[in-house]
Amino acid sequence: MGNTRNDWRAAALAGLLTLASAGVAAGGISVSHPVLPGAESIEQENTDLQAIWKAMRSADADALVKLYQDNHDPVVHVWSAMALERVHFNLDAATADASACESALLDVRPLIALSCGQFLIGNLQLAGRWADSRQAESELITRFRGHGIDPELDKMQAWLDSHADEPMLSYDIPAGDVILPLKQRERQIRPDDQTTPRFTVSANGHELDAILDTGASDMILGQDDADRLGVKPLDRKGHVNGWLAKDVPTQAGVLETLEMGGITLHNVPVTVVPRHIVLIGGNLVAPLGTLEITRSDIHVFGKDSPVPACATAMRVSSAAWGSNIRLYPQLLVNDTPQSVMLDTGASHYLVGTRAALDEVTTLHRTKTMMGDIGGKHAFVNADTAKVKLTIAGQPFDMTFDVYTEADNVKHPITLGAGALRDMDFLLDFRRQHQCFLLHSNLR
């Protein structure tokens, strides 16, 4: 990718500026219509942009690097640079790239320029700056009026108008550290048994236990709890899928206050589902900065607090608008680098989907039970499999269940909260790093 990250970012932006100034001939004589790519070039560009968005949704940094290196289209260059910064959660750099992209292409390729502006809005939301994102969207619409894409802008304005009365998420985060003690399982099958990271929160003044779930996006509540806690319903319904459950009905809502230790979230977006469940998702956690999850607590570090050493680049997937954040650290699976989803909402050490069968050794067929957002599923078909997993340089020979019917989940292997018995999870969104801190007996 060049010598440094700044090198390829500078090259990408330089290419955009060349495209934007293509209407200026030698001697400074302006050409009335800028030189634009032909239809065939635009078709290829659209294909490459789709590939970029797909790679961003799966945190595929390697694919983004290849798209950048193998393609000379300046639009593809800058979008692959933007997306790669987002994958590594370097939001400031991603925002700078998006702003330059929008400015350079506003008069030449307004639809592409608009997509860059929308990407910037997604960065603001990922940073927890919801009020700023709403203001930026309004300004984006105004700035693009008269550039031939008013139907797209009308859709954006209609969305803003329909959400104008909805309160926006904001955070009160203390300067110092916050420690959230975890609830221990009342019944443990064995001493090292581990459940999901469950801790006490206060929702509109009511105490309840919640799970920190990096496999979810926002806050998820069951209908009974949503009613009891005073969640304000919004005029938006939908459906969500789990590992096995399909088309679970959802209702959007807003929780006025959520307190986690000394941290307070205001106007928290909530997804309400039928079954009893309380989850705090990754989009709500990322703006907190730096967290260390252990078997006993969740440590939220203050902005200036020293944190454990970690040099491994974070890999985060998200949609262009900033929703659906997920963590995809790269590990060695049977000695081959592979992205593995980190899901603290999964109680197992390791769990796989049908796609994992291409990479692991199947031992035998079985029936098991599993739970997801749709409830508990009995007698689920599973293959017991084994795999060599290398984490922080430490090899683990693992036996785990592969759910052959879990076709809703696209990632082959998930590392769950069960791994906390061997390591702590350091999620440093502030410095864009994520590490597995092995316990002393494994070092």
Side-chain angles (χ1 to χ4, degrees):
M1 249 181 21
N3 295 328
T4 67
R5 188 178 282 186
N6 286 335
D7 289 339
W8 56 261
R9 284 184 60 229
L13 296 177
L16 262 186
L17 293 173
T18 299
L19 176 63
S21 61
V24 181
I29 301 174
S30 178
V31 180
S32 58
H33 296 288
V35 178
L36 297 178
E40 184 176 343
S41 298
I42 290 177
E43 183 177 352
Q44 180 58 48
E45 179 183 274
N46 289 339
T47 299
D48 290 333
L49 288 174
Q50 291 291 336
I52 289 171
W53 295 328
K54 179 181 178 181
M56 187 170 63
R57 289 194 298 270
S58 60
D60 192 343
D62 296 335
L64 292 171
V65 171
K66 182 172 176 57
L67 280 162
Y68 177 84
Q69 292 177 334
D70 294 351
N71 197 301
H72 301 294
D73 184 320
V75 172
V76 175
H77 267 220
V78 76
W79 254 102
S80 57
M82 286 161 46
L84 191 56
E85 297 290 9
R86 169 80 75 80
V87 163
H88 291 310
F89 212 73
N90 191 350
L91 300 181
D92 288 343
T95 294
D97 291 350
S99 179
C101 170
E102 180 201 325
S103 298
L105 296 181
L106 175 60
D107 295 320
V108 182
R109 305 283 299 281
L111 271 177
I112 295 294
L114 182 66
S115 71
C116 293
Q118 293 169 331
F119 182 87
L120 186 154
I121 292 166
N123 292 336
L124 293 173
Q125 293 186 3
L126 283 172
R129 298 168 56 187
W130 281 67
D132 291 341
S133 75
R134 193 69 57 88
Q135 179 66 27
E137 189 168 359
S138 179
E139 293 172 355
L140 187 70
I141 294 170
T142 301
R143 195 158 56 247
F144 274 74
R145 289 293 183 191
H147 285 79
I149 57 171
D150 280 5
E152 292 298 319
L153 303 178
D154 291 341
K155 295 175 186 176
M156 293 173 63
Q157 187 62 57
W159 187 93
L160 281 180
D161 291 343
S162 66
H163 292 71
D165 296 331
E166 292 182 13
M168 286 173 285
L169 175 66
S170 64
Y171 290 75
D172 291 333
I173 305 175
D177 294 8
V178 173
I179 305 294
L180 304 172
L182 296 184
K183 297 273 189 173
Q184 300 302 313
R185 290 188 67 164
E186 295 180 2
R187 297 178 59 190
Q188 292 185 318
I189 299 173
R190 56 183 186 270
D192 63 352
D193 195 21
Q194 175 66 38
T195 185
T196 48
R198 186 185 303 268
F199 59 104
T200 300
V201 302
S202 176
N204 284 351
H206 300 272
E207 283 196 354
L208 71 162
D209 290 346
I211 294 172
L212 175 61
D213 185 358
T214 58
S217 298
D218 297 317
M219 187 173 191
I220 299 179
L221 282 175
Q223 185 66 62
D224 290 344
D225 280 326
D227 294 340
R228 179 174 64 89
L229 300 173
V231 171
K232 178 184 176 183
L234 301 175
D235 188 22
R236 293 201 303 276
K237 297 182 184 293
H239 294 83
V240 68
N241 294 327
W243 279 78
L244 294 174
K246 291 180 169 63
D247 296 328
V248 177
T250 63
Q251 164 74 60
V254 175
L255 178 71
E256 187 174 350
T257 59
L258 175 67
E259 297 176 72
M260 302 185 295
I263 301 167
T264 303
L265 283 65
H266 304 276
N267 305 318
V268 181
V270 175
T271 299
V272 181
V273 296
R275 66 162 292 202
H276 170 70
I277 193 170
V278 184
L279 304 177
I280 309 294
N283 279 77
L284 296 180
V285 166
L288 300 183
T290 306
L291 303 90
E292 183 178 4
I293 307 169
T294 75
R295 285 176 59 83
S296 60
D297 59 50
I298 299 169
H299 185 167
V300 182
F301 291 86
K303 184 177 180 181
D304 298 322
S305 298
V307 302
C310 177
T312 303
M314 181 169 271
R315 291 193 178 211
V316 172
S317 74
S318 62
W321 279 98
S323 59
N324 300 325
I325 187 171
R326 299 291 186 273
L327 296 169
Y328 281 93
Q330 190 171 65
L331 307 177
L332 292 179
V333 179
N334 287 335
D335 298 321
T336 301
Q338 180 178 306
S339 291
V340 173
M341 183 176 174
L342 178 63
D343 184 357
T344 59
S347 60
H348 298 286
Y349 200 122
L350 207 64
V351 62
T353 63
R354 185 196 305 271
L357 296 178
D358 295 332
E359 304 160 8
V360 301
T361 302
T362 302
L363 300 178
H364 57 81
R365 296 286 172 89
T366 186
K367 295 279 187 179
T368 186
M369 175 183 290
M370 76 166 298
D372 65 8
I373 197 169
K376 291 194 178 296
H377 307 273
F379 305 110
V380 176
N381 290 322
D383 284 1
T384 301
K386 67 177 182 178
V387 67
K388 178 185 175 185
L389 195 68
T390 304
I391 306 175
Q394 173 70 44
F396 296 86
D397 291 319
M398 305 292 302
T399 300
F400 68 108
D401 286 335
V402 174
Y403 296 112
T404 55
E405 297 175 3
D407 53 2
N408 296 329
V409 181
K410 304 305 179 187
H411 46 275
I413 297 177
T414 290
L415 186 70
L420 289 169
R421 73 176 187 235
D422 287 330
M423 65 199 72
D424 302 337
F425 302 157
L426 182 68
L427 312 180
D428 194 348
F429 295 96
R430 184 175 287 120
R431 298 168 185 82
Q432 303 93 48
H433 293 133
Q434 193 246 301
C435 283
F436 298 100
L437 309 177
L438 298 180
H439 294 167
S440 57
N441 62 304
L442 294 175
R443 297 189 198 123

